[in-house]
Amino acid sequence: MSTQTKSTVAVIDYGMGNLHSVAKALEHVADENTEIVVSSDPAVIDAADRVLLPGVGAIRDCIAEMKAQGLIPVIQKAMAEKPFLAICVGIQSLMAHSEENGGVDCLNHFEGNALFFGNNHKDVDGTKLKVPHMGWNQVKQTMKHPLWEGIEDGARFYFVHSYYIVASNKEEVAGTCNYGHDFCVALARDNVFAVQFHPEKSHKDGLQLYKNFIHWDGKP
Amino acid sequence: MGLAKRIIPCLDVDNGRVVKGVQFVDIRDAGDPVEVAKRYNEQGADEITFLDITASSDDRETTVHMVEAIAAEVFIPLTVGGGIRTCEDIRRMLNAGADKVSINTAAIFNPDFVREAAERFGSQCIVVAIDAKKVSGEGEPDRWEIFTHGGRKPTGIDAVEWAVKMVDLGAGEILLTSMDRDGMKNGFDLGVTRAISEAVHVPVIASGGVGNLQHLVDGVTEGKADAVLAASIFHFGEYSIQEAKETMQAAGIEMRL
C-alpha cells in the first residue's frame, strides 16, 4: 500500500461551460494518488492542493458568476499560495479589463487587457482572417517553465476565442501565437500559469500540460 | 506559422452504429462510434463531428451515452448534431462532453433559437448546419437554396443570405453541405463554399461529395473553406487522416501534422 497522501486538484465550477472535458482530461493523466474534484464550494477549493480555473463563454457572465457564488476571495487566495492554472476565458478573467460585452473589469492579477480581434481582422498580406480564431495554432514558448516540460516549442494547441491578451509585463509572457499579429497566449508569475488555448482539446500536448500541472510544485 | 486548416471526419450515427449512405439511401455499416472516433483521434483528426441521423426521441438517450463514451477517450473537439431543437438539448450534449452543437432544421423553423442558444452558451459552441443545393439553371447567375429533409424539400431561402443571417444571430461556425454532392464522390460544390466563406467572418466547414484527397485541397484553396469534413473516404480505409494531411500540406496548405 502506498504511504503517499492523496493530492487534490480542484476544478472550479462557476456554472459556465464544459467542465466535463477538463475533468476527464485531468483524470486521464492523473495517477492513483491524485484526486480530481469539480466544485463550487469555497471550502473544497481552499482545501485543494492545486486549483484549475476553466472558462468557456462570455466574460461578463463569467465574472458575474464568480461574484454571485462568492468565489473571488478563494480564487485570489489560491493564486497567492498554490499551483494555479487558468484556461481560455479563465486567463482573460485574470487580466485587468476585457473589451467583451461592452467592457468588463476583471480580477487584475496580471496587468493588461483582453482586446477584440475585430470582425475585419486581416493577415499581414491583407487576406481576411476569420474570427473567432478557431483551430490548431502553433505556440512559441517564450520562457522556460515546468508546464512546458516535454512539449516541443512550436507545438500546436486548440484555440477558440475572439478576444486576445495584451500583457503589460513582457517578462510574464510564457507563450505567443500568430494570427494576423503576434499575441500572448500564456502568462506565468510565481505559482500561477494561464493559457488561452484548451489543453483538454489539444490531444497529446494538451494532456502533457495537464500532467505537468498535476506534478507542479508551483515554482517557476 | 499560423492557424492550420482542419480535417474533420464525420460519424453519421443511426441506431448506435456509424453508417454511410449515398444521398441518404443505400446505407452501409461503418462500425462502432466509440471505436471509430478513437481511431480518428489516433490518426490525428483535428476534430470529430457526430451526427445522430435517426434523431428520434428514443435514440436520444443512446446518443448522450455515446457522446459521453467518446468524450472520455478522445481529447480533441467534438461537435454533435441531429435533432438539436431546444436549449435543453444543447445543455445535455455539452454536459455529455460535446464542445459544440450543430443546429440545422430547428434554425429554419425558428431562427431566433440560434440567437437564444448563442446568448446562453456562447457563439463558440453554436454551429449552424446548412444543406444547400444549386437552383440556378445553365447560363443564369449562380444561386443556391436551403433544402430540408435530406435534400428533398426546398425552402426558397437563399443559402448565402441565410448564412449571413445565421452569423448575425450568433452562429460561431457554418457547416455547409452541398446536398447534390453528398455521397457522390465528385467533390465539394466549390461555388457555394467560396460564396459563403467570403460572405461571413466565422469559419466555414465544407462538406458533401469528397471522393479523393484533391477534393479536400480544392475545398480550401478554391472553396476558401477553413475546415473540410468527410466520411466515407476515411470510414472504409481508402485514405487515412495522415495521408490526407500530407497531401494538403504538399499542396501548400498549413496543417497540423
Side-chain angles (χ1 to χ4, degrees), chain B residues 49-245:
Chain B
T49 289
F50 180 110
L51 292 179
D52 180 3
I53 64 166
T54 40
S56 71
S57 48
D58 298 352
D59 289 336
R60 191 49 46 83
E61 210 53 44
T62 320
T63 304
V64 169
H65 292 311
M66 223 166 265
V67 170
E68 276 171 359
I70 293 174
E73 304 198 50
V74 170
F75 299 103
I76 57 174
L78 176 63
T79 302
V80 180
I84 302 287
R85 294 185 187 90
T86 64
C87 281
E88 178 57 23
D89 292 336
I90 297 176
R91 201 188 56 79
R92 288 181 71 200
M93 288 307 171
L94 296 181
N95 283 345
D99 300 286
K100 313 180 206 177
V101 291
S102 171
I103 303 173
N104 188 345
T105 317
I108 295 169
F109 293 117
N110 177 18
D112 219 48
F113 173 47
V114 174
R115 184 205 309 274
E116 194 190 338
E119 278 173 6
R120 181 141 161 217
F121 302 101
S123 290
Q124 82 290 334
C125 67
I126 306 301
V127 181
V128 169
I130 295 180
D131 294 342
K133 237 187 208 183
K134 195 168 187 175
V135 291
S136 50
E138 202 68 39
E140 292 173 4
D142 285 343
R143 192 174 175 278
W144 300 270
E145 245 178 52
I146 306 285
F147 279 68
T148 61
H149 299 81
R152 292 188 302 275
K153 254 181 133 167
T155 60
I157 302 168
D158 180 86
V160 180
E161 286 171 17
W162 182 250
V164 170
K165 180 177 175 179
M166 291 298 103
V167 172
D168 285 345
L169 287 173
E173 196 168 31
I174 299 290
L175 168 55
L176 171 68
T177 304
S178 18
M179 293 309 296
D180 26 6
R181 302 297 181 104
D182 196 49
M184 300 300 283
K185 293 182 163 276
N186 54 356
F188 298 120
D189 183 331
L190 298 171
V192 69
T193 307
R194 183 169 191 146
I196 290 182
S197 190
E198 288 179 344
V200 300
H201 62 77
V202 303
V204 171
I205 305 164
S207 154
V210 175
N212 61 48
L213 301 182
Q214 185 59 38
H215 291 152
L216 300 177
V217 172
D218 295 342
V220 172
T221 56
E222 292 178 43
K224 305 287 173 200
D226 302 282
V228 286
L229 180 143
S232 46
I233 61 159
F234 300 130
H235 292 342
F236 302 110
E238 281 170 69
Y239 304 102
S240 69
I241 305 278
Q242 187 65 22
E243 283 174 295
K245 288 188 157 186

Side-chain angles (χ1 to χ4, degrees), chain A:
Chain A
M1 249 176 61
S2 169
T3 51
Q4 204 178 339
T5 50
K6 280 246 179 205
S7 98
T8 316
V9 179
V11 178
I12 301 179
D13 177 6
Y14 52 100
M16 300 278 296
N18 182 9
L19 300 170
H20 174 100
S21 59
V22 173
K24 283 286 173 210
L26 286 167
E27 279 161 15
H28 195 79
V29 296
D31 54 35
E32 69 271 24
N33 292 315
T34 309
E35 195 189 352
I36 313 300
V37 288
V38 176
S39 180
S40 57
D41 181 349
V44 171
I45 296 164
D46 196 37
D49 300 287
R50 292 177 181 78
V51 173
L52 190 148
L53 177 67
V56 177
I59 192 76
R60 183 182 54 206
D61 295 349
C62 169
I63 299 286
E65 280 300 319
M66 285 180 193
K67 282 184 183 159
Q69 301 193 31
L71 290 168
I72 294 192
V74 74
I75 289 172
Q76 277 166 338
K77 184 162 178 265
M79 286 197 290
E81 61 191 29
K82 58 184 106 178
F84 188 98
L85 176 62
I87 285 157
C88 195
V89 179
I91 188 176
Q92 306 209 352
S93 74
L94 301 190
M95 307 310 293
H97 187 265
S98 168
E99 276 188 354
E100 196 177 4
N101 304 125
V104 175
D105 286 330
C106 303
L107 303 186
N108 201 19
H109 184 80
F110 289 107
E111 264 182 63
N113 301 317
L115 307 183
F116 187 37
F117 278 120
N119 282 337
N120 195 23
H121 192 49
K122 287 194 168 70
D123 211 342
V124 278
D125 63 2
T127 39
K128 178 172 130 177
L129 292 173
K130 301 297 180 75
V131 174
H133 172 227
M134 182 188 284
W136 299 79
N137 206 335
Q138 289 184 290
V139 174
K140 190 175 162 194
Q141 298 169 12
T142 50
M143 80 165 63
K144 200 173 149 48
H145 194 282
L147 289 206
W148 292 137
E149 196 63 43
I151 299 168
E152 247 182 77
D153 190 13
R156 287 185 185 274
F157 287 88
Y158 186 78
F159 290 85
V160 188
H161 63 121
S162 301
Y163 293 79
Y164 66 98
I165 302 294
V166 178
S168 307
N169 301 321
K170 300 300 168 220
E171 70 280 5
E172 292 175 346
V173 176
T176 62
C177 180
N178 185 280
Y179 193 58
H181 51 75
D182 286 338
F183 61 97
C184 163
V185 297
L187 280 168
R189 188 172 77 226
D190 302 331
N191 54 307
V192 177
F193 198 81
V195 294
Q196 179 64 67
F197 50 82
H198 288 274
E200 68 280 5
K201 291 291 149 189
S202 299
H203 204 213
K204 290 186 179 125
D205 289 318
L207 293 174
Q208 181 65 42
L209 194 141
Y210 275 167
K211 196 173 180 180
N212 293 342
F213 176 62
I214 283 176
H215 296 105
W216 186 30
D217 61 6
K219 294 196 179 77

